[in-house]
């Protein structure tokens, strides 16, 4: 099952930089792109390590220096964020004002299986 | 005004809630016997009860009913002297106003503001979320133009933001389809389902429910009702769609729904909550599809009759309760501070306080004699060596006045059309200010206290007895303003002091009454008072408005610095 990576606001900022340059970047280069003195080198390095664990970025060695490239696709990410937003609104209030086929938030896979068995479908 | 509306809302909420509970309790039975359509539309009875205010007083006596006359000794001479006709108002009429100041801190007032604020917030938040949703899905969607079998007013769009098809929009409805591969057969079923919703105007029903839910946001039963409406909406829709399908087609339909749900599950993030409700709802929908029995005509008729009967019962109960709460007030009359017990009691109806004419005059120690003659009630009052005769008529707002057998004049006490003398259980009741007017030399005040607010009122309510001031002359044509005959300095002083104390105005001051205004449309008198604090060079302004039954309508002090 594909998971949408839940990345934090700070990590998102780093992602924006990687997406903008679209090439492997060193930690220092990322730092330089940030607003003067925003985060320490160590902070950025830690962020990138976390992002790699989440699978949002890829790490390679270039002359003994770590370089990072984005794995998470920007369009996909934006899309899934919009979708989350829409779903939250719908389940929050809008479902009282619209008519649908089913409520996607309400059932687990187990539930669906059970229904299939119950009705022999 | 707000308080009255709030009280009505409370009653409607109680009646609607009771009806809702009734249907909920009956549901295990009605589910098996009545049609899914009935299950869906029956909640309209609850919504109707919650939105239509009905009020009537089951005790009201019509003012023109004939009555048994309680005759007293009548002196022929006195009858002659008292011959006058009340009820004709061709001559200009004198208007008499006596203001009293009764200020009560009302718990109800606070609660009605909380209600209003809550309703506005609930509705506002829902509306904002709704608009944000509309914008988000529209921006991330594309139009589908080549759809066949779609009604003209319904536009179709495709979007990746949704997992299930949905129709949204009250004025410009749009069908949104999820961005996935759908077979022709699936699309067919989807359209059948969604277009059934569209044709039945289910969106309108849901909006109405949401609006009423916002008004009654404080009532927990309302949320249960809304859930039922949502559930039965889908169940009845499935039922309608599949009622003419073969068993195989029904299975295809159900599979279509399950496949779409599974499809979503494989694309998206896992659920963080697992609610049994989704499964229960789907189970109910599928059960209904399988047990596709049509209800017979007889049962349908019974179901509609049941709905109609319960609806009228709830409306009647709510209306009666509303009428009864009119009489919730305790009416006492004080003479120079002493409470008087009225034999027949007073009551409040339509915001006017009525007292029994005879007992009130008696208890107030007036030298008064009452006589009835053909619908005319004559009150002979002897005071300070003067004999005055007041002639009133049940159902009429004019008083004929004669002093020492001389000039008769017609007086109207500025009451609205509903507050006229009335007959109740053979006792003549008059609006309180009639008695007040008749006994102009007494200092009597009226205390009307809401029984349930006794505690709060006991702390904050107090009264100031103010003197009377003379009648003002108005022309028949109400556009011509009143001419004030005379000031009453003591009255003004008492009012101003009272008001300034209310707003904690602590500075030593002098004041001057600058201007008086009489509003014939609203029956109010407005005083503009200029206050000069001793320690300052600037002035503060106080506006006091009195209504005909004595309440301060507003103290506006926005020029006033405390």
């Amino acid at each position: 099952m594909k998971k949408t990576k839940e990345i934090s606001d700070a990590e998102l900022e780093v992602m924006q930089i990687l997406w903008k340059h679209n090439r492997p970047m060193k930690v220092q280069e990322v730092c330089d792109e940030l607003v003067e003195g925003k985060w320490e080198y160590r902070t950025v390095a830690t962020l990138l390590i976390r992002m790699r664990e989440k699978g949002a970025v890829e790490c390679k060695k270039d002359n003994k220096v770590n370089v990072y490239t984005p794995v998470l696709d920007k369009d996909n990410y934006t899309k899934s964020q919009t979708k989350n937003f829409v779903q939250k609104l719908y389940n929050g209030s809008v479902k009282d004002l619209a008519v649908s086929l089913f409520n996607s938030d309400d059932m687990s896979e187990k539930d669906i299986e059970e229904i299939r068995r119950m009705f022999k479908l | 005004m707000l308080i009255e509306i709030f009280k009505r809302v409370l009653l409607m909420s109680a009646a609607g809630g009771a009806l809702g509970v009734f249907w909920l309790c009956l549901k295990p039975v009605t589910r098996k016997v009545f049609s899914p359509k009935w299950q869906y539309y029956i909640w309209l009875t609850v919504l109707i009860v919650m939105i239509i205010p009905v009020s009537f007083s089951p005790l009201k006596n019509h003012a023109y009913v004939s009555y048994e006359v309680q005759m007293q000794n009548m002196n022929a001479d006195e009858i002659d002297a008292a011959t006058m006709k009340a009820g004709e108002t061709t001559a200009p009429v004198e208007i008499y106003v006596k203001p009293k100041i009764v200020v009560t801190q009302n718990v109800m007032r606070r609660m009605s503001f909380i209600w209003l604020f809550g309703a506005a917030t609930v509705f506002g938040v829902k509306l904002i979320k709704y608009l944000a949703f509309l914008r988000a899905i529209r921006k991330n969607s594309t139009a589908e133009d080549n759809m066949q079998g779609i009604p003209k007013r319904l536009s179709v769009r495709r979007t990746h933001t949704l997992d299930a098809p949905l129709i949204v929009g009250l004025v410009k409805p749009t069908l949104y389809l999820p961005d996935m591969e759908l077979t022709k057969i699936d699309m067919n079923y989807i359209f059948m389902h969604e277009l059934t919703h569209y044709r039945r105007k289910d969106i309108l029903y849901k909006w109405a429910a949401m609006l009423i839910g916002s008004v009654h946001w404080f009532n927990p039963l309302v949320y249960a009702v809304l859930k039922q409406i949502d559930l039965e909406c889908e169940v009845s829709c499935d039922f309608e769609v599949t009622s003419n399908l073969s068993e195989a087609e029904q299975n295809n339909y159900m599979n279509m729904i399950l496949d779409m749900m599974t499809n979503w599950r494989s694309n998206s993030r896992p659920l963080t909550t697992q609610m049994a409700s989704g499964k229960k709802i789907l189970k109910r929908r599928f059960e209904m599809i399988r047990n596709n029995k049509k209800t017979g005509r007889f049962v349908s008729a019974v179901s509609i009759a049941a709905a109609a009967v319960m609806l009228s019962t709830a409306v009647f109960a709510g209306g009666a309760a509303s009428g009864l709460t009119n009489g919730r007030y305790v009416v006492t009359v004080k003479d120079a501070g002493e409470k008087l017990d009225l034999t027949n009691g007073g009551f409040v109806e339509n915001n006017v306080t009525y007292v029994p004419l005879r007992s009130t005059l008696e208890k107030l120690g007036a030298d008064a004699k009452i006589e009835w003659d053909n619908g005319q009630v004559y009150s002979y009052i002897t005071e300070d060596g003067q004999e005055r005769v007041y002639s009133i008529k049940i159902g009429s707002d004019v008083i004929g006045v004669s002093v020492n057998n001389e000039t008769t004049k017609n007086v109207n006490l500025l009451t609205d059309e509903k507050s006229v003398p009335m007959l109740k259980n053979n006792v003549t009741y008059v609006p309180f200010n009639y008695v007040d007017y008749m006994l102009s030399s007494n200092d009597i005040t009226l205390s009307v206290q809401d029984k349930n607010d006794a505690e709060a009122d006991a702390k904050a309510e107090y009264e100031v007895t103010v003197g009377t001031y003379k009648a003002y002359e108005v022309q028949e044509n109400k556009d011509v303003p009143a001419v004030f005959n005379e000031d009453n300095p003591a009255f003004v002083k008492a009012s101003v002091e009272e008001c300034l104390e209310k707003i904690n105005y602590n500075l030593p001051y002098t004041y001057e009454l600058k201007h008086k205004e009489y509003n014939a449309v609203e029956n109010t008198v407005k005083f503009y008072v200029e206050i000069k604090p001793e320690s300052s060079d600037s002035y503060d302004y106080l506006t006091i408005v009195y209504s005909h039954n004595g309440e301060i309508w507003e103290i506006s002090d926005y020029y006033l610095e405390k």
Side-chain angles (χ1 to χ4, degrees), chain B residues 32 69 154 166 174 238 294 297 358 412 485 533 535 539:
Chain B
K32 299 207 170 84
V69 175
L154 184 66
L166 88 92
T174 311
D238 286 333
K294 301 248 173 47
R297 286 234 293 263
R358 172 194 274 282
N412 183 306
N485 289 339
S535 52
Y539 292 85

Side-chain angles (χ1 to χ4, degrees), chain A residues 1-4 6 75 78-80 82-121, chain B residues 126 129-130 132-133 136-137 140 160-167 193-194 197 202-203 206-207 210 230 234 251 254-256 258-262 264-265 269 271 274-275 278-279 282-283 285-287 290:
Chain A
M1 211 187 316
K2 255 204 230 147
K3 291 187 194 186
T4 307
E6 293 298 345
D75 281 336
T78 316
K79 267 190 175 177
S80 72
T82 312
K83 190 167 177 181
N84 285 354
F85 176 67
V86 162
Q87 293 297 338
K88 259 217 238 136
L89 285 177
Y90 179 77
N91 291 316
S93 258
V94 181
K95 68 178 191 273
D96 294 336
L97 296 170
V99 285
S100 177
L101 191 60
F102 58 84
N103 220 2
S104 51
D105 211 27
D106 270 357
M107 305 253 298
S108 69
E109 272 199 58
K110 252 177 57 182
D111 292 334
I112 298 178
E113 283 309 309
E114 198 178 323
I115 297 273
R116 279 199 202 273
R117 267 183 281 124
M118 229 191 278
F119 290 90
K120 304 200 179 70
L121 291 165
Chain B
K126 286 202 175 141
K129 286 191 176 175
Y130 174 73
F133 178 83
I137 55 174
N140 289 285
H160 64 84
T161 56
L162 296 173
D163 297 319
L166 88 92
I167 300 186
H193 183 100
E194 296 302 327
H197 277 315
D202 289 342
I203 294 207
K206 284 195 152 186
W207 270 86
M210 188 280 267
D230 282 345
E234 292 305 327
N251 287 344
M254 294 190 273
N255 271 314
M256 179 270 297
L258 289 171
D259 288 343
M260 285 193 80
M261 290 178 120
T262 318
W264 161 74
R265 298 227 35 88
R269 73 193 196 294
L271 259 184
Q274 288 190 355
M275 300 190 292
K279 186 173 73 172
L282 196 62
K283 186 165 161 256
R285 289 170 69 178
F286 282 9
E287 273 171 1
R290 280 272 163 85

Side-chain angles (χ1 to χ4, degrees), chain A residues 22-85:
Chain A
N22 209 17
R23 59 167 173 80
M25 290 177 80
K26 299 182 215 164
V27 180
Q28 187 57 56
E29 289 174 315
V30 173
C31 281
D32 294 338
E33 285 295 314
L34 292 163
V35 170
E36 181 90 18
K38 173 153 191 182
W39 285 321
E40 279 188 9
Y41 180 92
R42 237 186 326 196
T43 315
V44 179
T46 314
L47 282 173
L48 282 164
I49 291 173
R50 275 223 304 268
M51 288 158 77
R52 179 166 146 251
E53 283 165 3
K54 288 186 185 176
V57 298
E58 200 176 47
C59 181
K60 291 212 181 83
K61 283 252 194 255
D62 179 9
N63 273 347
K64 294 190 186 161
V65 178
N66 283 337
V67 285
Y68 292 89
T69 41
V71 169
L72 187 61
D73 182 82
K74 180 172 189 185
D75 281 336
N76 279 353
Y77 179 76
T78 316
K79 267 190 175 177
S80 72
Q81 289 302 99
T82 312
K83 190 167 177 181
N84 285 354
F85 176 67

